[in-house]
Amino acid sequence: MQHGKYRFIVGFLALPLALYALFVIWPFIQSIYYSFTDWTGLSPDFQMVGFDNFSRMLEDDVFWKSLQHSLIFVLLLPLVTLSLALFFAFMLNVGGRRRKNAKNAGAITGVRGSSFYKIVYFFPQVLSIAIVALLFQFAYNPNSGAINSALKAVGLDDVQPVWLGDPDLALWCVMAVLIWSTVGFFVVLFSAGMASIPNDFYEAALLDGASRITTFFKITLPLLWDTVQSGWVYMGILALGAESFAVVQIMTVGPNGGGPDYSTIVMPLYVYQKAFRDGQAAYATTIGVALLIVTLLFAAIVMRLGRRERLEY
């Protein structure tokens, strides 16, 4: 029976693993191989050049700018997004006032209208990231955008930033859009996790006179830690991947985005520019290999630092 069971498991997993190896693992291997060549991406002819692409990458100022911006994203985006999502989810599920009537006295509840707020927070997830980027590109327009128009309406005519045209502000404008577009997903995710925590824990804390802050750090966060850790890794991958690429390319100025003066360039966008704009596919795959290493290091560090004893309830 045991032999038959293992044979069934192997047969069941063989096709999915083969597809995963073909469409995920094999492209990684190809990218690493092409990073040691001079392939242009247009011609089938290429030669091995050894570590020349890696040497060039280490001397490329734009690459270091893109790496710096990607690291800012991967450090700050998960921190800000998950912190806001935890706060909103806690208020929507646990942060309401105590009921005044005797029947529900001491009951755990969210703020009034919490169901409506969940829909509002989740709404950006319904929109494509390209649509979100276009909407905010119009909002950031220094001449006719909604933000500067609102500043004028409240009498702040002298405060009219260029936003995406300012090298000192553009990166933070892009980051704000990424936070706005993703925080709702984690609000719903954390709300589902908080709904599974027994109310007895919160009721006991209320009887002991615990404040909301104490309840959050002593009950909610420890019991929700596995979900937070997974969300941190997922958000970091988004910050290093397609989300940051799409927003930066659509919103920012310059050839194929990344401006002004490479002030918003990120690694995925730089890979795209080198491969499809400049016809340097081999060098683009070299930057892609560096991006892969950064992503794996980030995931490993988060999983290692976030390791703690599992709490069951």
Side-chain angles (χ1 to χ4, degrees), residues 92-282:
L92 293 178
N93 291 272
V94 187
R97 295 182 178 180
R98 298 187 188 185
R99 303 287 187 180
K100 293 183 179 181
N101 56 336
K103 181 179 179 181
N104 293 320
I108 303 303
T109 182
V111 297
R112 293 187 183 275
S114 57
S115 298
F116 172 75
Y117 291 136
K118 288 179 183 179
I119 297 174
V120 172
Y121 292 142
F122 190 75
F123 176 74
Q125 295 296 312
V126 180
L127 301 175
S128 166
I129 189 63
I131 295 176
V132 171
L134 283 173
L135 290 174
F136 274 91
Q137 184 184 46
F138 294 137
Y140 280 129
N141 188 299
N143 299 318
S144 58
I147 299 178
N148 279 1
S149 297
L151 292 176
K152 287 182 180 179
V154 297
L156 297 177
D157 295 5
D158 296 334
V159 183
Q160 296 290 303
V162 186
W163 299 115
L164 296 174
D166 188 341
D168 296 327
L169 290 177
L171 187 69
W172 307 109
C173 293
V174 171
M175 188 179 299
V177 174
L178 288 169
I179 293 171
W180 182 86
S181 65
T182 54
V183 70
F185 170 80
F186 291 102
V187 169
V188 175
L189 178 66
F190 294 151
S191 294
M194 292 178 189
S196 66
I197 299 175
N199 283 342
D200 296 346
F201 294 175
Y202 292 113
E203 291 172 359
L206 288 175
L207 292 175
D208 290 340
S211 64
R212 285 190 178 127
I213 296 178
T214 303
T215 303
F216 174 78
F217 284 104
K218 296 298 184 180
I219 298 177
T220 305
L221 188 58
L223 295 179
L224 206 63
W225 185 253
D226 289 343
T227 305
V228 173
Q229 187 182 42
S230 300
W232 200 288
V233 175
Y234 177 69
M235 189 63 208
I237 293 173
L238 286 182
L240 290 170
E243 295 285 323
S244 62
F245 162 77
V247 173
V248 172
Q249 186 195 29
I250 294 172
M251 291 182 59
T252 56
V253 298
N256 302 114
D261 192 25
Y262 296 109
S263 61
T264 56
I265 191 75
V266 289
M267 293 181 72
L269 179 59
Y270 197 41
V271 171
Y272 168 82
Q273 291 177 350
K274 285 300 175 184
F276 299 102
R277 184 193 65 186
D278 302 336
Q280 302 175 14

Side-chain angles (χ1 to χ4, degrees), residues 27 57 73-75 83 137 165-166 198 210 212 219 235 273 296 305-306:
M57 181 180 67
F73 275 16
V74 82
L75 293 175
S83 297
Q137 184 184 46
D166 188 341
R212 285 190 178 127
I219 298 177
M235 189 63 208
Q273 291 177 350
L296 293 177
L305 294 179

Side-chain angles (χ1 to χ4, degrees), residues 5 15 42 53 66 71-72 88 93 115 146-147 175 236 254 273 289 296:
K5 181 181 72 172
L15 180 60
L42 303 175
N53 288 324
S66 68
L71 290 178
I72 291 174
F88 291 143
N93 291 272
S115 298
I147 299 178
M175 188 179 299
Q273 291 177 350
V289 171
L296 293 177

